[in-house]
Amino acid sequence: MANVWVRILIGGLTMLVAIGYKNYRDLKAPGKRPDLDNNAYWGPALKEPYRENKAILPYDISVKPEVIEDLKSQLSRPSKAQAPLEGVGFEYGFNANELAKVVKYWRDTYLAKWTEREQYLKKLDHYQTEIQGLKIHFIHAKPTQVKGQKPKKVLPLLLMHGWPGTVREFYDFIPLLTTPSDKSDYVFEVIAPSLPGYGWSQGSSKTGFGVAQVAVVMRNLMLRVGFNKFLVQGGDWGSIIGSNVASLFPENVLGYHSNMCGNNSPLGQIKLVLASFFPSWFVDSQHASFYKGLGHMFSTILEEMGYAHIQASKPDTIGNALIDNPAGLAAYILEKFSTWTNPSFRSLPDGGLTKRFTYDQLLDNVMIYYVTNSITTSVRLYSESMVASQFALAVDSLPIKAKSGCTRFAHEIVHTSDSVLANKFPNLVHSTHHSDGGHFPAFELPQQLYDDFVSFVQKADLS
Amino acid sequence: MANVWVRILIGGLTMLVAIGYKNYRDLKAPGKRPDLDNNAYWGPALKEPYRENKAILPYDISVKPEVIEDLKSQLSRPSKAQAPLEGVGFEYGFNANELAKVVKYWRDTYLAKWTEREQYLKKLDHYQTEIQGLKIHFIHAKPTQVKGQKPKKVLPLLLMHGWPGTVREFYDFIPLLTTPSDKSDYVFEVIAPSLPGYGWSQGSSKTGFGVAQVAVVMRNLMLRVGFNKFLVQGGDWGSIIGSNVASLFPENVLGYHSNMCGNNSPLGQIKLVLASFFPSWFVDSQHASFYKGLGHMFSTILEEMGYAHIQASKPDTIGNALIDNPAGLAAYILEKFSTWTNPSFRSLPDGGLTKRFTYDQLLDNVMIYYVTNSITTSVRLYSESMVASQFALAVDSLPIKAKSGCTRFAHEIVHTSDSVLANKFPNLVHSTHHSDGGHFPAFELPQQLYDDFVSFVQKADLS
């Protein structure tokens, strides 16, 4: 199979020509909203017509003690891992020596204080409601006001994580959003759902549940909670689903802020290529270091996108390999918290995992995948979103009418410049570059993300 | 990450231009043999100078009873697998319902008769010797002669499997090779090694052990056994490593036969693109159905090469996810015995696994990976072979001087036509197309592969 790279290259050429030809004429035309069923049913096959249970109920995230006991015993198996190659850190993926340390900590330290971790995860309020046949979990965090001061105006916010993240990423970020600060005229009422198929939210039983369809569910969730107009914030899939919400439902979105803005419209992709060849046409020289060109993008695809390739094509194979496999799950998930936080961490024997996170934080996140058994349903989002039928909806070609803010943290996987974003974000009122941070800023640098977000909201002038 | 495909495409274009430019001038020039150390040491770091133990010893492949007991208990865990999406067979990868059946058979039927399976695996003679610091396992099968008839001439044969195969693929093929038949003037003395890092052969402890370096080890193994001149046969990595042996050591190779011939030289890759656009220039119309063009190749890369992408970039992550994880390992390995045997099996709920194989055959193969704990070391071959330092050796540009035979079974992943092969195989004396069979013909259609192989040997006229 050694020639697979070359074949990827060859395939790339052809598809690019095909895309170019197909889209040449209507590149700049604004897209048409696709016809999506806002009430589509995604649950298991029913014998009777579906009747949605519209109740919103508090949700208990407690884990049964026998699950913890079983996990302990699984983590107590003697390691059979092959030693890493000599002198290798994380360049070949998750280092087996570091994995042994993580497993030991998980078993002996983390699980020993599981009650405390569980209480920590419960400190925010968890709810569940049924949307389109799926039980959707979300955190609902209400803002506080300072006694004796003029109350800040409250804005609702839909806050979405990505893969392999969970709502756990937001535990330091949410309190900032709900607490009045000098930096903002607003406080936020936060709805942070587990994406469908992630964590405590049920996955679809039917095929065809990609980002646009998930966006419909997320918007319906906000309506259910009672918010007809709301802000959106997200990274990773949260960014893309949020972009779909804003594109499909302009009437509901007050503003869109993302730490991973992208433009996958045909024009956006062409500009991305041109920007790589002629960066000075597209990028302010001040931020040139953020935009590393096509060579960097290509090496990133080869070195860092294998997980996306297999998840988009064989999600159930990788899911079946990770289900009921805690050590493997930790390796698979935490590799991303190393490399995506800073690519230079690849050369470290421990992947720099604890440079920006604690094992407790990281294992909380892994635990949510493990106890909810959701890795298979989570990776199916790739196969349902990176597929012709989803691209055919052309949501990427719908401009986002809401005021938008795009922020970039230095070590994000790939950055997109304002000029490349332009046709997708005609109302880009806020664009920033941070010299620090990676793919998970809410988790890694919550204060910095908060400052950026409220700065966007001030500029957007939503009063 | 929805735009990763488009980025793959963009990357493809650039690399293609770069490759085209770089190689334009010296496309047709025959390559120069790279300077490889035929005695490079690949074992773990030593305190004293390495002294190779040249002994060839019988090797006992017995599995400790406690390993079988532990495996049984692991396979007895209640399944936590997520149900497949409604109406889905193997299109999303290994179907969880089928996996439950495989696991049940494995635990209740296969392991119950493990002694018999073990005896079966022992029916061929196993040996081990040390090459360049690695303990290399191989099957040595000596030919028989028919009493009272003129003895057939004996030719030594290096027979190599690929990933996710093992020597188990050859258990029906080898007896055909070693037994005199009317179809052949020859019988064969077969050396079938476990590739280094596969099955019972030790993997490298050092980086940089790609196909060319493996080829050196395999050639040294043949010299060790006492064969200075030998035939080579293989598929998958066995084909590519065999191609490296034949390219690097023309003085040792009597002939090369493969069921997956490829030409990864720059000229070969350019011809492959041209052949896709203008098939009639390159392909005999009689076999046109074998060569499906660029669209098919591209969709195959997207749909079927995710495993190669992750194994080439993060082998230790996927290895750590599959080590000590029998059900996951079976899903990961056996998906290939479904899809690569016939792509149409993807639409079947059971992946058509038992249409061409028995569960016993398939589980023998999985067991070898499991009991030898070799999945991590096996997938590292991707990362060490699909990397710039390996491509820089340019073994692909060395023509194979030996007489060569290329056979194609209908459902192989991708086929390469004679005209595309031409500059790599100037002595292609045998080229065939079979209307049946897939990626594992020695396992699936041993008689047909035997007939094809001996037909090649007759044509090659090695007397």
Side-chain angles (χ1 to χ4, degrees), chain A residues 1-16 19 43-45 67 70 73-74 77-78 80-86 88 90-96 99 204-208 236-237 240 260 262-264 269 272-273 277 294 297-298 301-310 312-318 320-325 327-328 331-332 335-336 339-340 346 370 372-374 376-377 380 382-387 391 413-416 439, chain B residues 1-16 19 43-45 70 73-74 77-78 80-86 88 90-96 99 204-208 236-237 240 260 262-264 269 272-273 277 294 297-298 301-310 312-318 320-325 327-328 331-332 335-336 339-340 346 370 372-374 376-377 380 382-387 391 413-416 439:
Chain A
M1 322 295 351
N3 56 1
V4 66
W5 292 145
V6 179
R7 288 174 180 187
I8 287 178
L9 308 181
I10 294 163
L13 172 65
T14 329
M15 283 297 282
L16 204 75
I19 289 174
V67 171
D70 181 61
S73 86
Q74 278 195 280
R77 291 179 59 82
K80 293 185 180 173
Q82 293 284 349
L85 294 171
E86 289 169 6
V88 162
F90 267 55
E91 297 91 340
Y92 285 67
F94 207 101
N95 185 296
L99 183 58
S204 174
S205 291
K206 313 216 180 305
T207 60
D236 198 86
W237 283 119
I240 295 167
M260 202 185 82
N263 179 1
N264 294 323
Q269 293 298 321
L272 201 62
V273 179
F277 282 112
L294 218 51
M297 192 191 296
F298 187 62
I301 290 165
L302 292 190
E303 290 169 20
E304 298 304 332
M305 292 293 149
Y307 83 99
H309 195 167
I310 198 166
S313 53
K314 308 289 177 190
D316 282 29
T317 296
I318 200 73
N320 283 318
L322 296 173
I323 281 276
D324 194 30
N325 172 15
Y332 199 80
E335 179 211 294
K336 302 310 180 196
T339 311
W340 291 352
R346 283 180 293 204
Y370 179 79
T372 61
N373 222 13
S374 58
T376 304
T377 47
R380 284 180 187 156
Y382 289 77
S383 58
E384 300 297 17
S385 300
M386 296 156 83
V387 66
F391 299 144
I413 306 165
V414 181
H415 295 291
T416 312
H439 184 71
Chain B
M1 324 294 351
N3 56 0
V4 65
W5 292 146
V6 179
R7 289 174 180 187
I8 286 178
L9 308 182
I10 294 163
L13 170 66
T14 331
M15 282 296 283
L16 203 75
I19 288 173
D70 180 61
S73 85
Q74 279 195 280
R77 290 178 60 82
K80 293 185 180 173
Q82 293 283 350
L85 294 170
E86 290 169 6
V88 162
F90 268 55
E91 298 92 340
Y92 285 67
F94 207 101
N95 184 297
L99 184 57
S204 174
S205 291
K206 313 214 182 306
T207 61
D236 197 88
W237 283 118
I240 294 167
M260 201 185 83
N263 179 1
N264 294 324
Q269 294 297 322
L272 200 62
V273 179
F277 282 112
L294 218 50
M297 193 190 297
F298 187 61
I301 290 166
L302 292 189
E303 290 168 20
E304 299 303 332
M305 291 294 150
Y307 83 99
H309 196 166
I310 198 165
S313 52
K314 308 288 177 191
D316 282 29
T317 297
I318 200 71
N320 282 319
L322 296 173
I323 280 275
D324 194 29
N325 171 16
Y332 199 80
E335 179 210 294
K336 303 311 180 197
T339 311
W340 291 353
R346 282 180 294 204
Y370 180 79
T372 61
N373 222 14
S374 57
T376 305
T377 47
R380 284 179 186 157
Y382 289 77
S383 58
E384 300 296 18
S385 299
M386 295 155 84
V387 66
F391 298 144
I413 306 166
V414 181
H415 295 290
T416 312
H439 185 70

Side-chain angles (χ1 to χ4, degrees), chain B residues 215-235:
Chain B
V216 171
V217 172
M218 294 290 96
R219 180 255 194 174
N220 284 342
L221 171 66
M222 292 305 279
L223 299 185
R224 172 74 49 84
V225 181
F227 300 125
N228 200 40
K229 290 194 180 289
F230 50 88
L231 292 162
V232 177
Q233 206 288 329

Side-chain angles (χ1 to χ4, degrees), chain B residues 7 43 46-48 59 84 106 127-128 143 159 161 170 182 216 225 254 284 290 300 308 314 346 369 407:
Chain B
R7 289 174 180 187
L46 294 175
K47 290 189 179 159
E48 295 176 11
Y59 186 73
W106 195 356
Y127 297 90
Q128 194 188 63
L159 176 63
H161 66 83
F170 302 134
D182 295 345
V216 171
V225 181
L254 287 170
D284 194 342
F290 279 67
T300 299
K314 308 288 177 191
R346 282 180 294 204
Y369 280 87
T407 183

Side-chain angles (χ1 to χ4, degrees), chain B residues 268-285:
Chain B
Q269 294 297 322
I270 287 170
K271 285 190 289 183
L272 200 62
V273 179
L274 292 175
S276 293
F277 282 112
F278 312 104
S280 62
W281 298 3
F282 289 86
V283 174
D284 194 342
S285 63

Side-chain angles (χ1 to χ4, degrees), chain A residues 3 19 53 68 74 98 135 145 186 379 395 429 443:
Chain A
N3 56 1
I19 289 174
N53 179 350
I68 302 299
Q74 278 195 280
E98 172 62 13
K135 287 176 183 138
Q145 299 287 0
Y186 305 91
V379 299
V395 179
V429 299
F443 205 27

